[in-house]
Amino acid sequence: MNDIMISKGIYKNPDITVWELTLRCNLKCLHCGSSAGLKRTDELTTKEALQLCHELSDLGFKGIALMGGEIFLRKDWPVISREIKDLGITLSIITNGYFDPKKIIPQLKKIEPECLMVGLDGASAEMQDKIRNVEGAYSKVTKFIRAAKEANLPIGIITTVHKINFRELPKIKNFIIEEQIGWQIQEATPIGRFPKKLLLSDEEYYTLGLFVYSMQKKYKTKEIPIVGVHNFGFFSRVIPNLSNYPEWEGCYAGKTVLGIQSNGNVKGCLAMSDEFIEGNIHKRNIKEIWNDPNAFAFNRKFKVENLGENCQQCKYGKKCKGGCLTRSSSITGIPHNDPNCYYRIEKNIQNFVEID
């Protein structure tokens, strides 16, 4: 991953684009990083969105994940989804599932996405409705999940973990096992609506990693795919890499991953704050932004000297590049300074034991 840099003005190895199709949403989730609700006034038109699909294909992006806000609140989502499929790009769709499945599932069956992920953060109406801030969220999402499974769609759930639902995981696990569906687990970060005070502690974060690891060991990937996303743990002596990548070699934002907001703003990762916007496709097309030798400099031009105080003295600093950029910048105010690190946690525990 070190040198996928520019050759003849083209930045190599594009992989996944995560695209916020609209900011409009029918829920008010506690952990929403974009504070979704109302649509942006300048969201891309259908024509612009379809053109963007072609440009991403020309750049060589292998997968596009469509999300919101809430994707199904944009009327042309089937048209854009079909265009992505027709271009031979792997299509993933992320939804909150707060819909009548009889209206949405038949459309999904026609489009045949490679992955359909639905947000489930609680194992009861009390917890799900509290986190999603809308009554009936649990009832609707579980009905939607079961309908998607019955329709043989490639369904899985996404759980965003924080202090409120940390102890819900064993109960959600029971739902996963019962339904035999995939599970993506991620940690909430303090952007958008989510407050810092609800972040997991070091102990909770490490325990969460052990939980994901134990689930992966117990259940075969083909039967129940279980994955921890990019912001899970670095260089532990106990917990292996939990994501789909074989090992952690630094954040992928702007290197193989791209984020696009519904108004055409471009970031290295959609989860990053707006200070990391590299441009807008109304002013420059996506090819120009992606291939700009000065774009995504925070990652593409990383130097060991860029490491923050949490990572400066770490022996893995050069390879790790300071962990998850979204978490680092949202918690510490700077990139390459991720405070959540399994190696650091284990080292602190070891020092405590030795002193004790």
Side-chain angles (χ1 to χ4, degrees), residues 18 31 38 81 116 135 171 176 194 218 273 284 355:
V18 181
H31 56 264
L38 299 176
S81 298
L116 173 64
E135 186 176 346
K171 298 176 184 177
I176 289 292
F194 188 71
K218 188 170 183 179
S273 66
R284 290 196 299 166
I355 293 171

Side-chain angles (χ1 to χ4, degrees), residues 104-106 108-113 116 144 147-156 181:
I104 302 295
I105 299 298
L108 287 169
K109 285 287 288 181
K110 291 180 182 178
I111 293 168
E112 297 181 317
L116 173 64
F144 187 93
K149 182 191 173 188
E150 187 175 343
N152 292 315
L153 287 166
I155 182 74
I181 57 177

Side-chain angles (χ1 to χ4, degrees), residues 23-85:
L23 192 62
R24 186 183 173 196
C25 194
N26 49 1
L27 300 183
K28 302 172 184 177
C29 304
L30 168 72
H31 56 264
C32 182
S34 52
S35 300
L38 299 176
K39 65 176 289 186
R40 301 180 196 273
T41 57
D42 55 349
E43 293 189 342
L44 301 180
T45 65
T46 303
K47 183 179 178 180
E48 289 171 331
L50 294 177
Q51 176 62 32
L52 182 55
C53 292
H54 283 262
E55 291 176 359
L56 290 170
S57 176
D58 290 344
L59 278 170
F61 277 91
K62 304 174 186 68
I64 296 177
L66 297 180
M67 60 179 295
E70 172 48 52
I71 177 177
F72 296 145
L73 293 178
R74 179 160 171 152
K75 293 182 179 179
D76 60 359
W77 73 265
V79 177
I80 298 167
S81 298
R82 172 49 57 194
E83 193 75 10
I84 292 168
K85 289 284 293 185

Side-chain angles (χ1 to χ4, degrees), residues 17-20 31-35 67-68 186-192 229-231 251 253 257-261 266-277 298 324-331:
T17 295
V18 181
W19 183 355
E20 171 202 274
H31 56 264
C32 182
S34 52
S35 300
M67 60 179 295
Q186 57 195 35
E187 183 199 20
T189 50
I191 53 177
V229 294
H230 58 280
N231 62 0
C251 178
V257 174
L258 191 64
I260 301 175
Q261 292 180 314
V266 177
K267 305 177 185 178
C269 171
L270 191 58
M272 300 177 78
S273 66
D274 286 356
E275 66 181 293
F276 291 96
I277 292 173
F298 60 89
C324 172
L325 287 171
T326 297
R327 188 167 53 208
S328 175
S329 58
S330 63
I331 296 177

Side-chain angles (χ1 to χ4, degrees), residues 39 44 77 105 111 115 117 131 139 144 148 162 166 169 184 190 199 203 205-206 229 272-273 291 334 344:
K39 65 176 289 186
L44 301 180
W77 73 265
I105 299 298
I111 293 168
C115 179
M117 300 299 290
I131 292 172
S139 175
F144 187 93
H162 41 73
F166 176 69
L169 292 174
Q184 176 178 305
L199 280 171
E203 292 81 3
Y205 176 67
Y206 195 83
V229 294
M272 300 177 78
S273 66
N291 291 326
I334 59 172
R344 181 182 61 81

Side-chain angles (χ1 to χ4, degrees), residues 117 156-157 172-173 176-177 180-186 208-229 232 241-244:
M117 300 299 290
I157 72 165
I172 299 175
K173 178 191 76 171
I176 289 292
I177 295 169
Q180 293 285 292
I181 57 177
W183 194 8
Q184 176 178 305
I185 302 174
Q186 57 195 35
L208 180 57
L210 290 171
F211 174 81
V212 177
Y213 177 36
S214 68
M215 289 285 290
Q216 289 180 343
K217 283 187 68 177
K218 188 170 183 179
Y219 301 100
K220 294 180 180 179
T221 302
K222 289 184 179 180
E223 296 173 358
I224 307 179
I226 298 167
V227 62
V229 294
F232 260 105
N241 187 48
L242 301 174
S243 74
N244 286 326

